[in-house]
Amino acid sequence: MALSLDDVGHLLATRGGNQYGGEAVTQLEHALQCAQWAEKSGETPATVVAALLHDLGHLLAPGGDSTQHDDLHQYVAIPFLRGLLPDAVLEPIRLHVDAKRYLCATESGYWERLSSASQLSLHLQGGPFLPKEAMRFAAQPFAQEAIRLRRYDDLSKVSGAITLPLAHYLAVADVVAQGPLAQATVVHS
Ligand SMILES: [Fe+2]
């Protein structure tokens, strides 16, 4: 059952006012900050949309207290978005928790820089990858996009940060949903 982009916008606009786990921002502020980091960093429109929607699972199926159990939110949104958006959006969303496990295993100092809520959820999500798991993760399509998304995710917990409005990023999502031809037209126009 795919959502429409109108449904996605409605969810973000109405349920996005909830607090984002133990962080200082709402879900919507977090999504907009993450999309803005991706766009400012020169990511493709698809990766910008992945950044916007990476935590949509929290809004579709609020999993209760994610400090108590792994809510598996990275998987929840996928069936709702398949058919609407391409793998270039869906895969970084699906992989963004594994990207944290990867970075904790491979980059010294990364774990220490995570927020305490994120450190706690890492533990529930299985902890840092073992070396073999890290290699398997990095070999998957869109793993690099997921790792970059993860870094934007970590930066997007700033109370009161100014962003462009939701409508701007929904317009990007609309172009991505229309397919490669529409994206090429926007890039070259
Ligand atoms: Fe997030």
Side-chain angles (χ1 to χ4, degrees):
M1 185 201 67
L3 294 172
S4 68
L5 271 183
D6 282 348
D7 297 331
V8 171
H10 184 72
L11 265 173
L12 283 165
T14 55
R15 291 205 191 165
N18 299 336
Q19 219 57 26
Y20 174 49
E23 311 290 358
V25 289
T26 66
Q27 292 281 352
L28 178 58
E29 289 170 330
H30 177 62
L32 293 175
Q33 288 180 29
C34 197
Q36 180 154 285
W37 273 112
E39 193 170 48
K40 274 189 173 172
S41 305
E43 297 289 354
T44 62
T47 307
V48 172
V49 176
L52 179 74
L53 303 181
H54 75 279
D55 281 338
L56 194 71
H58 284 310
L59 305 185
L60 283 163
D65 187 352
S66 60
T67 61
Q68 297 296 319
H69 62 271
D70 182 7
D71 60 10
L72 300 172
H73 71 279
Q74 67 273 33
Y75 304 123
V76 171
I78 303 301
F80 292 95
L81 297 177
R82 201 175 291 290
L84 174 65
L85 293 163
D87 281 356
V89 176
L90 302 189
E91 285 300 284
I93 293 175
R94 186 176 70 82
L95 295 173
H96 82 274
V97 170
D98 282 353
K100 179 169 68 167
R101 300 181 68 193
Y102 173 83
L103 284 166
C104 285
T106 59
E107 187 171 294
S108 91
Y110 178 79
W111 182 86
E112 288 81 354
R113 292 195 301 274
L114 289 175
S115 66
S116 43
S118 201
Q119 287 178 348
L120 182 60
S121 61
L122 170 77
H123 176 67
L124 298 166
Q125 289 154 348
F129 274 147
L130 300 171
K132 224 181 205 169
E133 294 172 320
M135 276 173 58
R136 257 203 307 267
F137 168 80
Q140 293 176 92
F142 300 109
Q144 294 309 311
E145 285 81 356
I147 291 167
R148 296 199 301 275
L149 193 164
R150 187 73 231 178
R151 296 189 193 281
Y152 309 138
D153 187 357
D154 297 332
L155 291 167
S156 300
K157 301 171 179 180
V158 178
S159 175
I162 305 293
T163 63
L164 291 174
L166 176 59
H168 169 78
Y169 295 105
L170 289 176
V172 179
D174 192 33
V175 171
V176 172
Q178 288 176 48
L181 200 58
Q183 288 170 60
T185 310
V186 169
V187 169
H188 297 300
S189 61

PDB file of all heavy atoms in Angstrom, residues 97-127:
ATOM      1  N   VAL A  97      20.457   2.874   9.835  1.00  0.00           N
ATOM      2  CA  VAL A  97      20.832   2.377  11.174  1.00  0.00           C
ATOM      3  C   VAL A  97      22.084   1.509  11.061  1.00  0.00           C
ATOM      4  O   VAL A  97      23.023   1.635  11.870  1.00  0.00           O
ATOM      5  CB  VAL A  97      19.666   1.598  11.820  1.00  0.00           C
ATOM      6  CG1 VAL A  97      20.140   0.888  13.088  1.00  0.00           C
ATOM      7  CG2 VAL A  97      18.524   2.557  12.160  1.00  0.00           C
ATOM      8  N   ASP A  98      22.143   0.672  10.032  1.00  0.00           N
ATOM      9  CA  ASP A  98      23.353  -0.132   9.817  1.00  0.00           C
ATOM     10  C   ASP A  98      24.565   0.773   9.580  1.00  0.00           C
ATOM     11  O   ASP A  98      25.684   0.420   9.955  1.00  0.00           O
ATOM     12  CB  ASP A  98      23.167  -1.074   8.619  1.00  0.00           C
ATOM     13  CG  ASP A  98      22.335  -2.299   8.992  1.00  0.00           C
ATOM     14  OD1 ASP A  98      22.037  -2.471  10.190  1.00  0.00           O
ATOM     15  OD2 ASP A  98      21.993  -3.079   8.089  1.00  0.00           O
ATOM     16  N   ALA A  99      24.337   1.938   8.962  1.00  0.00           N
ATOM     17  CA  ALA A  99      25.452   2.864   8.721  1.00  0.00           C
ATOM     18  C   ALA A  99      26.034   3.354  10.043  1.00  0.00           C
ATOM     19  O   ALA A  99      27.250   3.551  10.166  1.00  0.00           O
ATOM     20  CB  ALA A  99      24.981   4.039   7.871  1.00  0.00           C
ATOM     21  N   LYS A 100      25.192   3.529  11.033  1.00  0.00           N
ATOM     22  CA  LYS A 100      25.700   3.914  12.358  1.00  0.00           C
ATOM     23  C   LYS A 100      26.530   2.774  12.949  1.00  0.00           C
ATOM     24  O   LYS A 100      27.623   3.005  13.490  1.00  0.00           O
ATOM     25  CB  LYS A 100      24.529   4.263  13.293  1.00  0.00           C
ATOM     26  CG  LYS A 100      24.980   4.645  14.694  1.00  0.00           C
ATOM     27  CD  LYS A 100      23.848   5.238  15.542  1.00  0.00           C
ATOM     28  CE  LYS A 100      22.775   4.230  15.882  1.00  0.00           C
ATOM     29  NZ  LYS A 100      21.863   4.730  16.948  1.00  0.00           N
ATOM     30  N   ARG A 101      26.035   1.557  12.816  1.00  0.00           N
ATOM     31  CA  ARG A 101      26.774   0.397  13.331  1.00  0.00           C
ATOM     32  C   ARG A 101      28.122   0.279  12.612  1.00  0.00           C
ATOM     33  O   ARG A 101      29.134  -0.092  13.212  1.00  0.00           O
ATOM     34  CB  ARG A 101      25.949  -0.879  13.157  1.00  0.00           C
ATOM     35  CG  ARG A 101      24.615  -0.830  13.907  1.00  0.00           C
ATOM     36  CD  ARG A 101      23.825  -2.114  13.737  1.00  0.00           C
ATOM     37  NE  ARG A 101      24.484  -3.234  14.402  1.00  0.00           N
ATOM     38  CZ  ARG A 101      24.164  -4.515  14.220  1.00  0.00           C
ATOM     39  NH1 ARG A 101      23.176  -4.835  13.388  1.00  0.00           N
ATOM     40  NH2 ARG A 101      24.799  -5.466  14.856  1.00  0.00           N
ATOM     41  N   TYR A 102      28.107   0.596  11.298  1.00  0.00           N
ATOM     42  CA  TYR A 102      29.330   0.558  10.490  1.00  0.00           C
ATOM     43  C   TYR A 102      30.327   1.624  10.965  1.00  0.00           C
ATOM     44  O   TYR A 102      31.509   1.337  11.186  1.00  0.00           O
ATOM     45  CB  TYR A 102      28.965   0.788   9.022  1.00  0.00           C
ATOM     46  CG  TYR A 102      30.148   0.932   8.108  1.00  0.00           C
ATOM     47  CD1 TYR A 102      30.800  -0.190   7.592  1.00  0.00           C
ATOM     48  CD2 TYR A 102      30.634   2.193   7.758  1.00  0.00           C
ATOM     49  CE1 TYR A 102      31.902  -0.064   6.757  1.00  0.00           C
ATOM     50  CE2 TYR A 102      31.731   2.332   6.922  1.00  0.00           C
ATOM     51  CZ  TYR A 102      32.352   1.197   6.433  1.00  0.00           C
ATOM     52  OH  TYR A 102      33.444   1.340   5.610  1.00  0.00           O
ATOM     53  N   LEU A 103      29.846   2.848  11.117  1.00  0.00           N
ATOM     54  CA  LEU A 103      30.747   3.941  11.501  1.00  0.00           C
ATOM     55  C   LEU A 103      31.310   3.731  12.901  1.00  0.00           C
ATOM     56  O   LEU A 103      32.476   4.057  13.173  1.00  0.00           O
ATOM     57  CB  LEU A 103      30.013   5.286  11.398  1.00  0.00           C
ATOM     58  CG  LEU A 103      29.841   5.787   9.957  1.00  0.00           C
ATOM     59  CD1 LEU A 103      28.824   6.922   9.895  1.00  0.00           C
ATOM     60  CD2 LEU A 103      31.176   6.233   9.376  1.00  0.00           C
ATOM     61  N   CYS A 104      30.500   3.181  13.789  1.00  0.00           N
ATOM     62  CA  CYS A 104      31.006   2.902  15.146  1.00  0.00           C
ATOM     63  C   CYS A 104      32.115   1.854  15.108  1.00  0.00           C
ATOM     64  O   CYS A 104      33.028   1.869  15.944  1.00  0.00           O
ATOM     65  CB  CYS A 104      29.873   2.420  16.051  1.00  0.00           C
ATOM     66  SG  CYS A 104      28.787   3.761  16.564  1.00  0.00           S
ATOM     67  N   ALA A 105      32.039   0.955  14.135  1.00  0.00           N
ATOM     68  CA  ALA A 105      33.042  -0.110  14.035  1.00  0.00           C
ATOM     69  C   ALA A 105      34.311   0.349  13.335  1.00  0.00           C
ATOM     70  O   ALA A 105      35.384  -0.202  13.578  1.00  0.00           O
ATOM     71  CB  ALA A 105      32.447  -1.301  13.272  1.00  0.00           C
ATOM     72  N   THR A 106      34.189   1.355  12.463  1.00  0.00           N
ATOM     73  CA  THR A 106      35.322   1.644  11.570  1.00  0.00           C
ATOM     74  C   THR A 106      35.954   3.027  11.779  1.00  0.00           C
ATOM     75  O   THR A 106      37.022   3.275  11.243  1.00  0.00           O
ATOM     76  CB  THR A 106      34.868   1.550  10.091  1.00  0.00           C
ATOM     77  OG1 THR A 106      33.801   2.489   9.890  1.00  0.00           O
ATOM     78  CG2 THR A 106      34.411   0.140   9.740  1.00  0.00           C
ATOM     79  N   GLU A 107      35.287   3.904  12.495  1.00  0.00           N
ATOM     80  CA  GLU A 107      35.825   5.269  12.597  1.00  0.00           C
ATOM     81  C   GLU A 107      36.054   5.621  14.062  1.00  0.00           C
ATOM     82  O   GLU A 107      35.084   5.746  14.829  1.00  0.00           O
ATOM     83  CB  GLU A 107      34.821   6.242  11.959  1.00  0.00           C
ATOM     84  CG  GLU A 107      35.355   7.655  11.859  1.00  0.00           C
ATOM     85  CD  GLU A 107      34.439   8.530  11.023  1.00  0.00           C
ATOM     86  OE1 GLU A 107      34.312   8.290   9.814  1.00  0.00           O
ATOM     87  OE2 GLU A 107      33.826   9.436  11.605  1.00  0.00           O
ATOM     88  N   SER A 108      37.308   5.803  14.408  1.00  0.00           N
ATOM     89  CA  SER A 108      37.571   6.058  15.827  1.00  0.00           C
ATOM     90  C   SER A 108      37.031   7.441  16.206  1.00  0.00           C
ATOM     91  O   SER A 108      37.138   8.398  15.440  1.00  0.00           O
ATOM     92  CB  SER A 108      39.069   5.923  16.126  1.00  0.00           C
ATOM     93  OG  SER A 108      39.706   7.134  15.986  1.00  0.00           O
ATOM     94  N   GLY A 109      36.419   7.516  17.359  1.00  0.00           N
ATOM     95  CA  GLY A 109      35.849   8.776  17.837  1.00  0.00           C
ATOM     96  C   GLY A 109      34.405   8.987  17.414  1.00  0.00           C
ATOM     97  O   GLY A 109      33.743   9.900  17.909  1.00  0.00           O
ATOM     98  N   TYR A 110      33.906   8.156  16.477  1.00  0.00           N
ATOM     99  CA  TYR A 110      32.523   8.365  15.994  1.00  0.00           C
ATOM    100  C   TYR A 110      31.516   8.105  17.124  1.00  0.00           C
ATOM    101  O   TYR A 110      30.616   8.906  17.353  1.00  0.00           O
ATOM    102  CB  TYR A 110      32.226   7.469  14.785  1.00  0.00           C
ATOM    103  CG  TYR A 110      30.801   7.612  14.291  1.00  0.00           C
ATOM    104  CD1 TYR A 110      30.435   8.700  13.496  1.00  0.00           C
ATOM    105  CD2 TYR A 110      29.812   6.701  14.655  1.00  0.00           C
ATOM    106  CE1 TYR A 110      29.132   8.867  13.075  1.00  0.00           C
ATOM    107  CE2 TYR A 110      28.502   6.864  14.240  1.00  0.00           C
ATOM    108  CZ  TYR A 110      28.169   7.938  13.447  1.00  0.00           C
ATOM    109  OH  TYR A 110      26.867   8.109  13.038  1.00  0.00           O
ATOM    110  N   TRP A 111      31.671   6.998  17.814  1.00  0.00           N
ATOM    111  CA  TRP A 111      30.722   6.654  18.886  1.00  0.00           C
ATOM    112  C   TRP A 111      30.687   7.771  19.938  1.00  0.00           C
ATOM    113  O   TRP A 111      29.616   8.163  20.398  1.00  0.00           O
ATOM    114  CB  TRP A 111      31.136   5.323  19.541  1.00  0.00           C
ATOM    115  CG  TRP A 111      30.183   4.886  20.609  1.00  0.00           C
ATOM    116  CD1 TRP A 111      29.039   4.156  20.443  1.00  0.00           C
ATOM    117  CD2 TRP A 111      30.270   5.174  22.016  1.00  0.00           C
ATOM    118  NE1 TRP A 111      28.417   3.966  21.652  1.00  0.00           N
ATOM    119  CE2 TRP A 111      29.147   4.587  22.636  1.00  0.00           C
ATOM    120  CE3 TRP A 111      31.198   5.875  22.803  1.00  0.00           C
ATOM    121  CZ2 TRP A 111      28.919   4.663  24.013  1.00  0.00           C
ATOM    122  CZ3 TRP A 111      30.966   5.967  24.171  1.00  0.00           C
ATOM    123  CH2 TRP A 111      29.826   5.355  24.756  1.00  0.00           C
ATOM    124  N   GLU A 112      31.850   8.283  20.284  1.00  0.00           N
ATOM    125  CA  GLU A 112      31.927   9.310  21.331  1.00  0.00           C
ATOM    126  C   GLU A 112      31.159  10.564  20.926  1.00  0.00           C
ATOM    127  O   GLU A 112      30.659  11.294  21.776  1.00  0.00           O
ATOM    128  CB  GLU A 112      33.387   9.688  21.615  1.00  0.00           C
ATOM    129  CG  GLU A 112      34.188   8.631  22.361  1.00  0.00           C
ATOM    130  CD  GLU A 112      34.723   7.520  21.473  1.00  0.00           C
ATOM    131  OE1 GLU A 112      34.374   7.489  20.266  1.00  0.00           O
ATOM    132  OE2 GLU A 112      35.469   6.670  21.988  1.00  0.00           O
ATOM    133  N   ARG A 113      31.070  10.832  19.618  1.00  0.00           N
ATOM    134  CA  ARG A 113      30.404  12.060  19.156  1.00  0.00           C
ATOM    135  C   ARG A 113      28.889  11.892  19.027  1.00  0.00           C
ATOM    136  O   ARG A 113      28.173  12.863  18.816  1.00  0.00           O
ATOM    137  CB  ARG A 113      30.982  12.499  17.793  1.00  0.00           C
ATOM    138  CG  ARG A 113      32.434  12.966  17.867  1.00  0.00           C
ATOM    139  CD  ARG A 113      32.845  13.727  16.614  1.00  0.00           C
ATOM    140  NE  ARG A 113      32.702  12.930  15.401  1.00  0.00           N
ATOM    141  CZ  ARG A 113      33.619  12.097  14.933  1.00  0.00           C
ATOM    142  NH1 ARG A 113      34.764  11.944  15.567  1.00  0.00           N
ATOM    143  NH2 ARG A 113      33.417  11.416  13.822  1.00  0.00           N
ATOM    144  N   LEU A 114      28.382  10.666  19.128  1.00  0.00           N
ATOM    145  CA  LEU A 114      26.929  10.460  19.035  1.00  0.00           C
ATOM    146  C   LEU A 114      26.231  11.076  20.238  1.00  0.00           C
ATOM    147  O   LEU A 114      26.803  11.146  21.330  1.00  0.00           O
ATOM    148  CB  LEU A 114      26.612   8.958  19.010  1.00  0.00           C
ATOM    149  CG  LEU A 114      26.969   8.184  17.746  1.00  0.00           C
ATOM    150  CD1 LEU A 114      26.695   6.694  17.973  1.00  0.00           C
ATOM    151  CD2 LEU A 114      26.206   8.695  16.542  1.00  0.00           C
ATOM    152  N   SER A 115      24.969  11.491  20.026  1.00  0.00           N
ATOM    153  CA  SER A 115      24.183  11.954  21.173  1.00  0.00           C
ATOM    154  C   SER A 115      23.953  10.768  22.109  1.00  0.00           C
ATOM    155  O   SER A 115      24.046   9.601  21.693  1.00  0.00           O
ATOM    156  CB  SER A 115      22.844  12.507  20.689  1.00  0.00           C
ATOM    157  OG  SER A 115      22.057  11.471  20.140  1.00  0.00           O
ATOM    158  N   SER A 116      23.638  11.065  23.368  1.00  0.00           N
ATOM    159  CA  SER A 116      23.469   9.933  24.298  1.00  0.00           C
ATOM    160  C   SER A 116      22.262   9.082  23.910  1.00  0.00           C
ATOM    161  O   SER A 116      22.284   7.853  24.068  1.00  0.00           O
ATOM    162  CB  SER A 116      23.385  10.407  25.740  1.00  0.00           C
ATOM    163  OG  SER A 116      22.566  11.523  25.840  1.00  0.00           O
ATOM    164  N   ALA A 117      21.203   9.697  23.328  1.00  0.00           N
ATOM    165  CA  ALA A 117      20.048   8.901  22.873  1.00  0.00           C
ATOM    166  C   ALA A 117      20.482   7.944  21.767  1.00  0.00           C
ATOM    167  O   ALA A 117      20.048   6.786  21.703  1.00  0.00           O
ATOM    168  CB  ALA A 117      18.941   9.827  22.378  1.00  0.00           C
ATOM    169  N   SER A 118      21.364   8.423  20.894  1.00  0.00           N
ATOM    170  CA  SER A 118      21.818   7.593  19.777  1.00  0.00           C
ATOM    171  C   SER A 118      22.763   6.488  20.250  1.00  0.00           C
ATOM    172  O   SER A 118      22.763   5.381  19.714  1.00  0.00           O
ATOM    173  CB  SER A 118      22.496   8.491  18.729  1.00  0.00           C
ATOM    174  OG  SER A 118      22.513   7.864  17.478  1.00  0.00           O
ATOM    175  N   GLN A 119      23.565   6.806  21.262  1.00  0.00           N
ATOM    176  CA  GLN A 119      24.428   5.758  21.841  1.00  0.00           C
ATOM    177  C   GLN A 119      23.581   4.659  22.468  1.00  0.00           C
ATOM    178  O   GLN A 119      23.867   3.469  22.316  1.00  0.00           O
ATOM    179  CB  GLN A 119      25.352   6.367  22.900  1.00  0.00           C
ATOM    180  CG  GLN A 119      26.462   7.217  22.328  1.00  0.00           C
ATOM    181  CD  GLN A 119      27.324   7.853  23.406  1.00  0.00           C
ATOM    182  OE1 GLN A 119      26.971   7.846  24.588  1.00  0.00           O
ATOM    183  NE2 GLN A 119      28.441   8.432  22.998  1.00  0.00           N
ATOM    184  N   LEU A 120      22.507   5.062  23.117  1.00  0.00           N
ATOM    185  CA  LEU A 120      21.635   4.085  23.764  1.00  0.00           C
ATOM    186  C   LEU A 120      20.935   3.212  22.722  1.00  0.00           C
ATOM    187  O   LEU A 120      20.887   1.985  22.846  1.00  0.00           O
ATOM    188  CB  LEU A 120      20.610   4.819  24.634  1.00  0.00           C
ATOM    189  CG  LEU A 120      19.655   3.939  25.425  1.00  0.00           C
ATOM    190  CD1 LEU A 120      20.443   3.044  26.383  1.00  0.00           C
ATOM    191  CD2 LEU A 120      18.673   4.796  26.221  1.00  0.00           C
ATOM    192  N   SER A 121      20.415   3.870  21.645  1.00  0.00           N
ATOM    193  CA  SER A 121      19.705   3.074  20.642  1.00  0.00           C
ATOM    194  C   SER A 121      20.675   2.158  19.899  1.00  0.00           C
ATOM    195  O   SER A 121      20.313   1.049  19.501  1.00  0.00           O
ATOM    196  CB  SER A 121      18.902   3.955  19.675  1.00  0.00           C
ATOM    197  OG  SER A 121      19.729   4.827  18.973  1.00  0.00           O
ATOM    198  N   LEU A 122      21.934   2.583  19.736  1.00  0.00           N
ATOM    199  CA  LEU A 122      22.929   1.704  19.088  1.00  0.00           C
ATOM    200  C   LEU A 122      23.022   0.380  19.832  1.00  0.00           C
ATOM    201  O   LEU A 122      23.051  -0.698  19.222  1.00  0.00           O
ATOM    202  CB  LEU A 122      24.316   2.379  19.082  1.00  0.00           C
ATOM    203  CG  LEU A 122      25.443   1.451  18.642  1.00  0.00           C
ATOM    204  CD1 LEU A 122      25.437   1.274  17.134  1.00  0.00           C
ATOM    205  CD2 LEU A 122      26.798   1.942  19.119  1.00  0.00           C
ATOM    206  N   HIS A 123      23.050   0.466  21.125  1.00  0.00           N
ATOM    207  CA  HIS A 123      23.145  -0.746  21.944  1.00  0.00           C
ATOM    208  C   HIS A 123      21.966  -1.677  21.646  1.00  0.00           C
ATOM    209  O   HIS A 123      22.132  -2.883  21.450  1.00  0.00           O
ATOM    210  CB  HIS A 123      23.176  -0.331  23.417  1.00  0.00           C
ATOM    211  CG  HIS A 123      23.179  -1.489  24.355  1.00  0.00           C
ATOM    212  ND1 HIS A 123      24.231  -2.359  24.451  1.00  0.00           N
ATOM    213  CD2 HIS A 123      22.231  -1.926  25.219  1.00  0.00           C
ATOM    214  CE1 HIS A 123      23.935  -3.295  25.336  1.00  0.00           C
ATOM    215  NE2 HIS A 123      22.742  -3.057  25.822  1.00  0.00           N
ATOM    216  N   LEU A 124      20.750  -1.085  21.564  1.00  0.00           N
ATOM    217  CA  LEU A 124      19.549  -1.888  21.302  1.00  0.00           C
ATOM    218  C   LEU A 124      19.525  -2.412  19.866  1.00  0.00           C
ATOM    219  O   LEU A 124      18.887  -3.422  19.571  1.00  0.00           O
ATOM    220  CB  LEU A 124      18.297  -1.040  21.568  1.00  0.00           C
ATOM    221  CG  LEU A 124      18.145  -0.541  23.009  1.00  0.00           C
ATOM    222  CD1 LEU A 124      17.090   0.549  23.094  1.00  0.00           C
ATOM    223  CD2 LEU A 124      17.791  -1.697  23.940  1.00  0.00           C
ATOM    224  N   GLN A 125      20.203  -1.704  18.968  1.00  0.00           N
ATOM    225  CA  GLN A 125      20.212  -2.086  17.554  1.00  0.00           C
ATOM    226  C   GLN A 125      21.283  -3.124  17.232  1.00  0.00           C
ATOM    227  O   GLN A 125      21.444  -3.509  16.072  1.00  0.00           O
ATOM    228  CB  GLN A 125      20.416  -0.826  16.687  1.00  0.00           C
ATOM    229  CG  GLN A 125      19.188   0.088  16.686  1.00  0.00           C
ATOM    230  CD  GLN A 125      19.510   1.555  16.419  1.00  0.00           C
ATOM    231  OE1 GLN A 125      20.679   1.968  16.440  1.00  0.00           O
ATOM    232  NE2 GLN A 125      18.492   2.346  16.169  1.00  0.00           N
ATOM    233  N   GLY A 126      22.014  -3.565  18.238  1.00  0.00           N
ATOM    234  CA  GLY A 126      22.984  -4.633  18.011  1.00  0.00           C
ATOM    235  C   GLY A 126      24.433  -4.213  18.203  1.00  0.00           C
ATOM    236  O   GLY A 126      25.331  -5.033  18.054  1.00  0.00           O
ATOM    237  N   GLY A 127      24.672  -2.923  18.470  1.00  0.00           N
ATOM    238  CA  GLY A 127      26.034  -2.455  18.723  1.00  0.00           C
ATOM    239  C   GLY A 127      26.839  -2.316  17.437  1.00  0.00           C
ATOM    240  O   GLY A 127      26.326  -2.540  16.347  1.00  0.00           O
TER     241      GLY A 127
END
